[in-house]
Amino acid sequence: DPSQSGRSLMGMAESGIFNLTFLAMTGVVLFTGSRMYSAIKKSVYSRRAKERQMHLFRMLIAQAVSPLCFIFVPPIVDASSVTFNYVLPYSVCIFKAILVFLFPIANPLIILIFTEDYRKYICRRSKRAPTYSLSHISVGNPKASVLSVTGKVSPI
């Protein structure tokens, strides 16, 4: 069917435009990031300010590399398997699907991991899980019941 060849050609062109756009955006982020890095090194700010700027720079690089790993590596593996004529094992196919699935989760996790305040908060919350004990004592008259709550209450 001649109409099918036009569709596949258009699909390939759209995919190519998307890939080039994404790679251009990644290139701009990495270029501006490298300029930021050199500006931070030459700056006259305090040591603490330089450390914070370097921390933000590392987070920027991690967020730029994240889509590359989670979204672009799986199709590159597929394209190379077709190009070099080899069959991917089933476990590799599952791993590729998991990578694409995990991308929306990975980007916020990068922010949580790289931001010290978030990291400390999560560690504090996980170390002290609240424990509660609830006892209700009713003797004879329901209006004269006693309710007591004991345990640690941690702030939110």
Side-chain angles (χ1 to χ4, degrees), residues 4-76:
Q4 293 298 327
S5 64
R7 287 184 186 175
S8 63
L9 185 61
M10 281 302 291
M12 287 173 47
E14 288 170 357
S15 176
I17 290 170
F18 172 75
N19 287 335
L20 288 175
T21 304
F22 180 78
L23 289 175
M25 289 186 326
T26 304
V28 166
V29 168
L30 294 176
F31 173 74
T32 55
S34 66
R35 297 293 303 253
M36 283 173 44
Y37 180 77
S38 63
I40 292 168
K41 288 294 183 184
K42 294 176 186 175
S43 69
V44 290
Y45 296 118
S46 68
R47 182 186 58 82
R48 180 131 170 94
K50 281 185 180 182
E51 286 175 3
R52 287 186 183 246
Q53 290 295 326
M54 286 303 294
H55 180 75
L56 291 173
F57 172 71
R58 287 186 205 107
M59 188 172 12
L60 174 72
I61 295 299
Q63 285 184 320
V65 171
S66 171
L68 189 67
C69 295
F70 287 98
I71 293 180
F72 277 96
V73 167
I76 289 170

Side-chain angles (χ1 to χ4, degrees), residues 70-71 74 94-106:
F70 287 98
I71 293 180
I94 296 297
F95 182 70
K96 289 184 319 172
I98 290 172
L99 276 179
V100 172
F101 174 74
L102 288 178
F103 173 68
I105 299 168

Side-chain angles (χ1 to χ4, degrees), residues 98-133:
I98 290 172
L99 276 179
V100 172
F101 174 74
L102 288 178
F103 173 68
I105 299 168
N107 225 10
L109 280 179
I110 288 171
I111 294 170
L112 290 176
I113 290 169
F114 276 85
T115 307
E116 185 178 1
D117 293 335
Y118 290 146
R119 222 179 26 241
K120 285 180 180 178
Y121 176 77
I122 291 170
C123 288
R124 273 196 322 265
R125 294 294 293 171
S126 65
K127 285 182 183 174
R128 50 182 180 128
T131 57
Y132 301 102
S133 172

